[in-house]
Amino acid sequence: MKLDSIDDWVRTCYSVNVTPFMDGKEVTLFGWVREIRDLGGIRFIILQDREGTIQVTVPRKANREVLSKSDALQKRYSIGLKGIVKKTVMSPRGVEVVPKEIKILSTAATQLPIDITGKTPAKIEVRLNARALDLCQEQNIAAFKIQHHALEAIRNFLFKKGFLEVHTPRIIASATEGGAALFTVDYFGEKAFLAQSPQLYKEQLVMSLEKVFEVGPFFRAEESHTRRHLSEFVSVDIEQAFADAKEVMILLEQVIQHACITVKEKCANELATLKHKVEVPEVPFKRLTYDEVLSDLKKEGVEVPWGEDVPTEAFRVLGKLYPNFYFITDWPTNSKAFYIKPREDKAELCEGFDLMWRWIEIVSGGTRIAEKDLLVDRLREKGLNLQAFKYHLQAFDYGMPPHAGWAIGLERLTMMLTGKKNIREVTFYPRDRVRLTP
Ligand code: AMO
């Protein structure tokens, strides 16, 4: 088929902007054929674009060119059309567009691997294999718009609070979050790693910029194949000088609340598409200590030995007791990373915290160790190689202020905001133990 060229056509509006009030006006639309229905010679084409759909009605007496173009259309062809808006009671939105001219800009395969109307649901593996097409489903567009608005809200909030956006290396020479979950990279013949977090760099940057944040992908060679772990995930990190865990926890709950308010306000249509409700959480969020968590669990018949991490099954029980956001503070020092500050009054506990939503950990953070000697002790206790941290330790000779920070897992936050149960649903192109493509 000979394709048309876009020429000087410029979109006048998206599908959703076409309303009955525009009756009689000419519009230029671009998008994809979502469905075609023939009814006694009248042809209905549902045109989909980023913002939604609009009914295009080709009457029997349309001009020959329009009739033959509309005859050739199939699902997922990308098209442009100029047409007249018509108020009607015959379409769900009370409006249709009658085309004067149609351009076929690209074609598509006759057999598509999934039904993007979602009427015939496909398994997630099949959908992920055809992800470019799968992402055209309204549900997916809705989920990623919600993610976009949440991240925009978080960024704006942090800008207002005086944080500067920074960019740290992804190719690094030493681990930050423990040695196990690292991907190695051949760096000009030298062994390097993909960064698990911006931890060391964001800490160093508070010496100059004081309040920093970074949004970007980080990498964990996760062996566990769960519905909330990826090998590559997006982290929203902050770090603040002259602050402790208490202060950054207050910032965090405000950030989360602001993201929820924004999504609720700006994404009503997307939430309706997903049949999901976002409740705006009240601040302050509940604060539970690790000891309180253990005792709550014990009452529910779940024993977690003191000092150990809380297993997933126990978190599920806890999530039923606290079905919203809550912090867990005062973790055993040894259960947290080497850079988390032990409590001054009780060194076996630390100033690290997690922010949970139901049973899922969405954020973790804490006050950092700002004293070089203590950091060296903690590195040794964790069995880490001091030499690998030479440059980081050096920074502590140059005036490292007290500081604290946190990192939100963006996909996990999006799960909460969209009601999706599998993290792969809210990741454009998920990477996990068994998936490296597409
Ligand atoms: P942590 O390792 O807890 O902390 O990571 C912070 C947050 O990132 C998300 N996350 C993940 N999401 C998907 N897949 C994964 N494999 C994955 N791993 C982590 C979670 C988690 O709460 N440097 C510290 C943060 C800090 O103290 O500032 C850190 O990386 O939502």
Side-chain angles (χ1 to χ4, degrees):
M1 177 187 299
K2 188 174 175 306
L3 296 177
D4 295 310
S5 111
I6 200 164
D7 296 325
D8 57 352
W9 282 28
V10 176
R11 167 184 267 147
T12 55
C13 60
Y14 282 107
S15 58
V16 286
N17 305 122
V18 179
T19 64
F21 301 107
M22 293 163 70
D23 190 49
K25 284 225 165 78
E26 184 177 303
V27 288
T28 304
L29 303 175
F30 289 109
W32 292 264
V33 175
R34 180 181 153 99
E35 282 177 85
I36 307 167
R37 264 176 269 141
D38 267 311
L39 276 186
I42 305 184
R43 182 168 292 135
F44 298 105
I45 299 158
I46 305 300
L47 181 80
Q48 180 185 5
D49 59 24
R50 193 181 84 175
E51 303 298 329
T53 57
I54 177 85
Q55 176 175 303
V56 177
T57 306
V58 184
R60 227 170 311 178
K61 57 179 193 312
N63 71 49
R64 199 156 4 118
E65 171 96 18
V66 166
L67 279 179
S68 87
K69 283 276 166 67
S70 78
D71 227 10
L73 293 181
Q74 289 185 28
K75 278 189 189 174
R76 290 303 300 166
Y77 278 24
S78 77
I79 63 173
L81 65 90
K82 279 188 199 289
I84 304 296
V85 177
K86 228 179 108 193
K87 206 163 132 178
T88 171
V89 288
M90 305 295 283
S91 84
R93 281 192 26 228
V95 68
E96 63 187 3
V97 174
V98 179
K100 282 167 59 182
E101 201 181 339
I102 296 178
K103 280 178 185 282
I104 300 182
L105 302 170
S106 73
T107 61
T110 357
Q111 283 290 326
L112 298 173
I114 51 172
D115 168 20
I116 69 146
T117 65
K119 286 177 194 155
T120 324
K123 285 203 172 120
I124 186 153
E125 292 309 320
V126 176
R127 289 178 28 220
L128 290 177
N129 284 339
R131 191 60 163 162
L133 178 63
D134 180 47
L135 289 171
C136 304
Q137 292 205 49
E138 277 178 329
Q139 282 241 350
N140 286 330
I141 294 176
F144 287 101
K145 276 193 186 159
I146 288 172
Q147 184 176 70
H148 160 80
H149 284 291
L151 185 55
E152 186 185 34
I154 294 171
R155 271 205 166 95
N156 286 341
F157 197 89
L158 293 172
F159 287 139
K160 273 211 188 101
K161 292 279 177 187
F163 283 80
L164 305 183
E165 188 162 6
V166 299
H167 311 280
T168 62
R170 293 298 178 272
I171 307 175
I172 56 164
S174 56
T176 53
E177 308 296 334
L182 279 164
F183 286 109
T184 51
V185 175
D186 176 0
Y187 194 70
F188 304 111
E190 207 179 303
K191 190 167 167 188
F193 306 99
L194 292 181
Q196 299 158 305
S197 79
Q199 188 62 37
L200 308 187
Y201 295 102
K202 69 173 180 171
E203 286 194 49
Q204 293 177 28
L205 287 173
V206 301
M207 292 170 51
S208 47
L209 301 178
E210 298 197 20
K211 292 163 89 169
V212 296
F213 80 97
E214 175 161 24
V215 180
F218 288 95
F219 306 90
R220 310 267 168 114
E222 291 288 354
E223 289 295 338
S224 48
H225 192 74
T226 79
R227 291 190 298 168
R228 63 188 197 292
H229 287 94
L230 296 165
S231 316
E232 178 172 352
F233 69 102
V234 176
S235 177
V236 181
D237 274 80
I238 72 126
E239 200 65 27
Q240 179 171 353
F242 311 111
D244 65 3
K246 285 201 171 71
E247 190 169 344
V248 295
M249 282 162 71
I250 293 170
L251 174 75
L252 174 59
E253 59 197 1
Q254 290 173 347
V255 163
I256 297 285
Q257 189 192 48
H258 180 63
C260 292
I261 292 172
T262 307
V263 165
K264 202 170 172 177
E265 277 175 12
K266 289 196 175 170
C267 304
N269 291 340
E270 287 75 15
L271 290 169
T273 300
L274 295 172
K275 299 186 181 66
H276 181 63
K277 279 203 172 72
V278 168
E279 305 291 343
V280 175
E282 278 179 27
V283 295
F285 295 167
K286 194 163 199 48
R287 282 147 169 80
L288 299 170
T289 64
Y290 172 83
D291 283 358
E292 283 166 342
V293 165
L294 260 46
S295 108
D296 279 343
L297 286 171
K298 196 167 176 185
K299 282 184 211 141
E300 297 298 312
V302 184
E303 289 270 358
V304 178
W306 197 92
E308 288 194 9
D309 226 339
V310 180
T312 306
E313 286 321 307
F315 271 132
R316 283 190 190 273
V317 173
L318 201 63
K320 293 221 169 75
L321 297 178
Y322 302 101
N324 212 320
F325 285 104
Y326 57 97
F327 284 108
I328 305 179
T329 64
D330 298 86
W331 286 85
T333 304
N334 283 334
S335 71
K336 287 283 174 192
F338 67 88
Y339 47 78
I340 296 285
K341 186 180 170 186
R343 261 172 56 171
E344 278 169 18
D345 58 338
K346 219 178 188 187
E348 66 274 23
L349 297 181
C350 70
E351 294 189 30
F353 62 85
D354 286 347
L355 177 66
M356 307 293 299
W357 182 72
R358 300 187 179 167
W359 64 279
I360 298 182
E361 178 202 309
I362 306 254
V363 186
S364 79
T367 313
R368 321 304 187 181
I369 296 174
E371 242 179 87
K372 186 175 179 178
D373 291 346
L374 183 54
L375 193 61
V376 169
D377 289 347
R378 290 292 296 139
L379 282 166
R380 283 211 179 98
E381 278 164 27
K382 289 269 179 193
L384 293 163
N385 172 11
L386 287 189
Q387 195 52 31
F389 291 88
K390 183 175 112 186
Y391 291 105
H392 183 57
L393 289 170
Q394 214 176 56
F396 288 71
D397 294 330
Y398 308 147
M400 180 62 83
H403 58 289
W406 42 251
I408 306 174
L410 181 65
E411 294 87 354
R412 291 194 188 175
L413 180 67
T414 313
M415 287 170 78
M416 175 261 148
L417 292 169
T418 58
K420 296 285 182 193
K421 301 265 185 314
N422 187 333
I423 198 163
R424 290 158 190 80
E425 295 273 5
V426 290
T427 307
F428 285 107
Y429 295 97
R431 295 285 178 260
D432 62 34
R433 185 80 181 74
V434 294
R435 184 174 286 280
L436 182 57
T437 50

